Structures are given as C-alpha cells and as structure tokens.
Amino acid sequence: MEGGASGSGTSRRRGARHGDRRRRGRPRDRDRRRRVRRHRGAAGGQEGAAGVRVRAERPDEEGRYARRIAGSVARGGGSMTGPKTGPTAGVRAGANAGAGSGTASATGSKAGAKPGTKPGSKPGSKPGPRAKPPSGRKPLGARELALEALTAVEQEGAYSNLALNAALNRTKLDPREAGLATELVYGTIQRRNTIDTVLDTHLAKGAKKLQPWVRSLLRLSAYQLLFLDRVPPHAAVSEAVAIAKRRGHQGVSGLVNAVLRKLAANPGRPTPPTGASAVERIAFEHSHPEWLVREWVRAFGEETAERIAAANNEPPKASARVNPLRIDRDGLIAKLAAEGVEAVPSLVSEDGVVSANGGNLAFTEAFKAGLCTVQDESSMLVAALLDPAPGMRVLDCCAAPGGKTTQLAERMEDKGEIVACDIHPHKKELIDGAASRLGLASVHTVVADAAKLHERFEEGSFDRILLDAPCSGFGVIRRKPDIKWTKTPEDVASIVETQRAILASVSKLLKPGGILVYSTCTLEPSENEAQIDAFLAAHPDYAPDPTMPPGIARETAVRCAAGPGRLLVTPADFGSDGFFMARLIRSSSRSS
C-alpha cells in the first residue's frame, strides 16, 4: 500500500511538473500562434482591403487611373521630346529620354546644390534613415510601390517618372493596380503643399520632422482620403497601417493609424485658412509654391494664374506628331483606329493627333513603323515656327532627345543638313535612334556645349537655328510635378544667365536674312519675354519676325500671340504643355 501510495504520489508529482511546464509553455505557444495569425491576417487583410477598394471603385475613377498611366508615359515635355531644364547647355529632363525632371548641370547635379551633395538633399545634411524593406518580399501592391517611388523622390532626389517606371517594371503589377500606383505617385506630389498643411494640424512637430518614408506614407494615404472619392477610407487607412507595421515599429504604425483616422473622420476637400490672400488661396487649393503663384499673378493676373495652377493638376494628354514623309494626318488617324486608338486632329498643331481614349502611343504599330512621334502638341509648334525649307543647313543647339530635330528634318523633306547638338554623349544615341526609326538621313549629331558652338562653327554658316533652351520647366508641371517643389527663384536666375550665354553664342552662326527661333517649356517671364527683349537690345542686327508659317493652327496663332513673332501657350489654353517661342530674323552680319 505504501509502495502503491508512494508510486501514485510520484506519478502525481511528475505529472504536476510536466503540467507546470506545459502551463508555462502555453502562453508562449499562444503568443507564437497569435503572431502567426496576425502575420497571416495582415497579409490577408491587406489583400482583402484591396479587394474591397476595387469593388467600391466606379468606372469614372477607373478611367482616371487609366488616363494617369497613359499620361505618365508622356511626362517629361511630351514623352519623346522632354523639356530641357537646368543651368547647363543641352541638359534636358525627358521621361522617355532617360533623363528626369529637375534642374541638372553637366555633372548631373541639380542647380543650386553644392558639389558632393545628393540631388534633392540639403547641402551638408545627412540622409535620413531608410525604411525597413519587407523581408524577402517584393512590394505587395499599388500603395507600397507608390511608397517606394515617393521615398526615392524624397530621400534620394530621384525623378518621379523614372522612380515610378523602375518600380512598375520591377513589380509587374496588373494594369488596374499600376494605374492606382501612378495616380498615387503623381497625385501625391502634385498636392503636396495642401496635404502637408493638413497633416501639420495633426502632428505636434509637423510633417517635416518625420522620417522620409513615414512622411511619404502619410502623404499618399492622405491624398487618397482627401482627393480620391472612390477609394474607401478604411482601405486607405488599413493598408497604410499594415505597411507601417512591416516597415517600422509599433510606435510608427500607431502614429499612422491615429493621424489617418482623424483625417478619415473629417471627409471633404480641405479649405484654405481664413483670411488667406489670393496668392495663398491659389497656392493652397491647387498646391503650388507661393512664390511661383505670386510670379504668375504678377505676369498673367489672378484669374489666369489660377487657371494655370488648376490645369497643372490634370493628367497630360496622349498626343503624337505625324511623319508626313510616310503618311498624312488622316491616314495616321485611320491606322491608329485599326489598332483600337480613337485619335482626333490636334487643335493646336496641324501636325498633331490626340488620343481620345488615352493609351501609350509609343506601343502602337504606327509608332514602331515610323509613322508618328510621341510629342506634346505645344512642342510641335516650335519646328513649325522655324519653318526650314528643303536644302537648308539648320542648327539644333540643344537637340536631345530628338523630337524637334526629327520634325525639322521631316519639314525639310529630309533634304539638306541638320546639325543636332547636345552636351551629353549618351544623348547622341537618343537623337540617332529617333532619326533612324523615322527613316531620316539628314540628321548629323554632334556632342558639344551649346554655349561654345561659336568656337566650333563658322560665323554665318546656318540658314536656320533652333535654340530650344534649357529652362525651369514650369510649363510641364503636369508631367513632372516634382519640378514645382525642387526649383527655386535662385535656380531660375541661374538658368537665365545660361540661356543668355547660349543665345549670344549661337546668334553669331546665323546667316544674314536667316531665322532663329528661341523656345522654352516654361512660363517664367524672365526666361521668355525678358530674355528676348534683352537679347534684341544687345544685338541690333536681330529683329522680331512676325511671320506665322503653316503648321500652326489659326486659333493657336490668335489666342497665344505674345507679341510680333512670339507665342505663349499655357496649360490652361488647350490642355497642352506650356511653351514660349520667339521667331527672330538677322538683318546683317554685325553682332555685339
């Protein structure tokens, strides 16, 4: 009995010990299981949130995403003919040309940045901490992809179009998600000023004190809550919190959750502060820097300035220029229609067509066959204003990526010579490639600094000269919204000096009786009208030429006249890029 009692007691004690271990282990196991469930739930919840969002969105919102992604291929001054920005001759910011927006120098740094500083960072500042990438996984969807692109723009000074395209190519999202990601990137950058003002009311130290990736996450989420009516608030909030948990710590996700829930609880478009001036109101409602709005109000008046600012937040149109050596405009429209693209004649340029249903025209068979070039409607006016004739010798001073160069060759029936110059050796391939695709043999590409072309060519050796000058690019904000946040008045002043040096250099190369066209894709008077006025005052052998050659639609010539031989097209006029151009004639060989 004692043995039995003793054995029974031993068994109970052993069982108790094992039970203690089991009981001690249970909370740990439960925590592990909970973590696994939370991890799985987070992933599943995110997919579920996306599914809810997709079901809730309506066709009109879907159409806007489609227009965004279609327009994004044309960002950069008309896609294949990007704007030139920066204080160095020949520097461009073309989306499909391999260059981004922003002021760039010959060394690739942005204007105003000290040597050795990263583009987009303040001189002497240290880069902020990076977000933790999702371990072993690619971005999960549109929002996380947009976050990667926005953080690259914010932290590394990347160009928005290039950062977005790289992320889209890496992740291969389906078209709907890619459209949403495109909308989030460009929309967030476009509305940054308004978004930051709203976020600052919910952050004790303001948005500027946050880590770059956290600030970008809050911005893109706030954009959805404030400006995208068809995105369910709970989808925007829950996915932002899930991303914050994966990339940061609990405190970050708590902050993101608290701020976004406050925004979601107060739906509706934000309103400007009480008592705001006209400049402050326009800058807030249409999200532009106050200094830039002030310049536009001074130059164009309050009403036009607001129309320009509003137009800058609209997606760019998809347009193309016909190659008349291979097809006429009606024929191109028919070819595109056979591919499912509904194209209509441009109201701005007689050489252009516009896709009524968006789409990337560079992917069409018509483009691949050299029947057209993807180009903005306003950009097409520049070569038309120069109006070269077959057999002439023409100089294109800052030619990359070659859109205007090839248009000149087409207008010359590919007879004569076009010397196309650019300062960057890698841009030569872009120009040569464009000419080859269109079957043009009259284009000869030269790598040279436009400010020193007078040292390379003989005086009076060209019949026509096109100076599509490096500029601030404020006419193409809808394609490159980061321009308005990266450029400063000091940048503009530096660019003006560069333009002046190039114009003085190349003006010596024009024959007496020849035509020079100066153009920019900006609206800044100091880079446009004031620049030409100063040039004419210093060069009495030049005068305005009021001729309006064929190729410029009559309505454009009337509505956009800015003086004898001058055109100024704003984004509010036709929904095309902002461009200035002036046609000048040389009366003698004398030059100051």
Side-chain angles (χ1 to χ4, degrees):
M1 300 245 336
E2 287 180 7
S6 176
S8 175
T10 300
S11 298
R12 285 194 296 270
R13 285 194 297 274
R14 286 176 181 170
R17 285 198 297 272
H18 288 304
D20 289 343
R21 282 199 295 271
R22 283 193 295 269
R23 282 191 293 271
R24 286 195 298 270
R26 280 172 189 160
R28 191 177 307 151
D29 293 340
R30 286 196 300 270
D31 289 345
R32 187 179 296 111
R33 286 193 295 272
R34 285 171 182 165
R35 285 197 297 272
V36 171
R37 283 196 298 269
R38 279 199 300 269
H39 176 76
R40 290 174 178 168
Q46 182 165 351
E47 293 170 5
V52 171
R53 171 183 50 73
V54 169
R55 287 193 296 273
E57 286 166 359
R58 298 179 185 172
D60 56 342
E61 190 82 7
E62 185 177 329
R64 176 161 61 184
Y65 295 157
R67 289 194 299 275
R68 279 283 189 195
I69 197 167
S72 71
V73 303
R75 294 178 186 274
S79 181
M80 304 305 289
T81 56
K84 291 178 282 291
T85 61
T88 299
V91 175
R92 285 180 184 259
N96 291 347
S101 64
T103 302
S105 71
T107 59
S109 61
K110 290 192 176 184
K114 293 182 180 180
T117 59
K118 267 191 174 183
S121 62
K122 294 180 180 179
S125 65
K126 295 181 179 179
R130 287 178 173 271
K132 294 189 303 183
S135 56
R137 290 161 61 181
K138 292 181 179 179
L140 300 179
R143 291 171 175 85
E144 198 152 9
L145 184 147
L147 174 62
E148 286 198 349
L150 289 168
T151 303
V153 171
E154 173 86 4
Q155 194 168 352
E156 301 169 12
Y159 300 125
S160 58
N161 56 338
L162 300 184
L164 174 62
N165 290 340
L168 287 173
N169 291 334
R170 186 170 59 250
T171 54
K172 304 297 182 184
L173 292 180
D174 65 73
R176 187 182 187 84
E177 286 287 286
L180 176 59
T182 303
E183 172 70 32
L184 293 180
V185 170
Y186 288 119
T188 299
I189 295 174
Q190 283 174 333
R191 298 287 184 175
R192 196 184 85 177
N193 185 41
T194 307
I195 291 169
D196 282 0
T197 302
V198 173
L199 288 176
D200 285 347
T201 63
H202 300 290
L203 294 165
K205 296 182 180 180
K208 291 183 179 180
K209 295 295 183 180
L210 297 173
Q211 294 180 42
W213 76 270
V214 178
R215 182 165 55 244
S216 294
L217 179 59
L218 284 174
R219 281 173 174 168
L220 74 89
S221 303
Y223 175 70
Q224 297 169 72
L225 295 172
L226 297 174
F227 295 101
L228 296 185
D229 299 333
R230 303 298 184 263
V231 175
H234 67 83
V237 175
S238 63
E239 288 213 39
V241 172
I243 292 171
K245 286 179 179 178
R246 286 195 298 274
R247 292 178 172 251
H249 53 73
Q250 188 173 357
V252 173
S253 62
L255 171 70
V256 169
N257 185 53
V259 171
L260 296 182
R261 286 190 179 278
K262 288 179 182 178
L263 292 183
N266 297 281
R269 293 290 177 92
T271 56
T274 304
S277 66
V279 169
E280 292 169 337
R281 180 187 61 78
I282 295 172
F284 178 86
E285 289 184 350
H286 303 290
S287 203
H288 280 63
E290 286 188 15
W291 75 267
L292 186 57
V293 174
R294 189 173 295 108
E295 286 290 317
W296 290 347
V297 169
R298 184 182 299 118
F300 310 115
E302 180 181 334
E303 181 180 351
T304 300
E306 182 164 14
R307 289 177 58 237
I308 292 171
N312 285 340
N313 291 325
E314 294 297 321
K317 293 185 290 185
S319 56
R321 184 192 80 237
V322 65
N323 179 357
L325 302 184
R326 294 189 172 181
I327 198 170
D328 60 19
R329 184 158 69 169
D330 290 340
L332 176 61
I333 291 174
K335 286 281 188 182
L336 292 173
E339 297 187 50
V341 178
E342 183 185 350
V344 297
S346 167
L347 298 178
V348 182
S349 168
E350 294 181 359
D351 297 326
V353 300
V354 179
S355 172
N357 52 351
N360 186 347
L361 298 180
F363 290 157
T364 62
E365 292 302 317
F367 176 86
K368 296 174 185 176
L371 305 183
C372 63
T373 294
V374 176
Q375 187 177 11
D376 181 78
E377 297 168 273
S378 299
S379 179
M380 301 175 198
L381 300 174
V382 177
L385 190 63
L386 187 63
D387 194 30
M392 285 185 171
R393 189 169 190 240
V394 178
L395 174 64
D396 188 353
C397 306
C398 306
K404 299 180 185 67
T405 305
T406 53
Q407 187 178 8
L408 292 172
E410 291 166 357
R411 296 185 74 86
M412 293 167 59
E413 301 175 5
D414 204 26
K415 299 173 182 177
E417 180 187 19
I418 299 175
V419 178
C421 302
D422 202 89
I423 195 171
H424 295 293
H426 70 277
K427 300 288 184 70
K428 181 179 185 298
E429 298 177 6
L430 298 173
I431 303 170
D432 291 340
S436 175
R437 182 182 61 83
L438 296 167
L440 302 171
S442 58
V443 176
H444 301 141
T445 311
V446 174
V447 177
D449 185 342
K452 298 179 180 179
L453 289 177
H454 66 286
E455 300 174 2
R456 185 177 186 124
F457 299 106
E458 292 184 10
E459 182 172 348
S461 57
F462 290 95
D463 301 289
R464 295 284 189 274
I465 294 178
L466 170 59
L467 173 52
D468 187 32
C471 68
S472 58
F474 290 134
V476 295
I477 287 176
R478 69 173 66 195
R479 300 182 187 278
K480 297 173 176 295
D482 31 342
I483 286 178
K484 59 185 176 182
W485 308 121
T486 57
K487 292 295 195 315
T488 66
E490 292 73 26
D491 292 333
V492 174
S494 175
I495 291 168
V496 167
E497 292 303 316
T498 300
Q499 294 167 342
R500 183 174 295 121
I502 298 174
L503 192 51
S505 170
V506 302
S507 66
K508 301 173 184 177
L509 305 178
L510 188 66
K511 293 179 180 178
I515 298 295
L516 182 152
V517 166
Y518 171 90
S519 67
T520 70
C521 58
T522 189
L523 306 177
E524 274 296 290
S526 61
E527 301 178 61
N528 296 338
E529 295 91 343
Q531 185 71 270
I532 294 302
D533 290 343
F535 172 79
L536 292 175
H539 296 79
D541 52 324
Y542 274 85
D545 182 4
T547 306
M548 281 292 136
I552 299 174
R554 178 173 176 78
E555 185 177 357
T556 304
V558 173
R559 186 190 299 188
C560 302
R566 300 183 187 184
L567 293 174
L568 177 64
V569 186
T570 76
D573 290 328
F574 300 99
S576 57
D577 288 347
F579 258 85
F580 171 82
M581 55 207 81
R583 179 181 164 102
L584 308 176
I585 186 169
R586 192 178 191 188
S587 57
S588 72
S589 60
R590 296 192 326 273
S591 183
S592 301

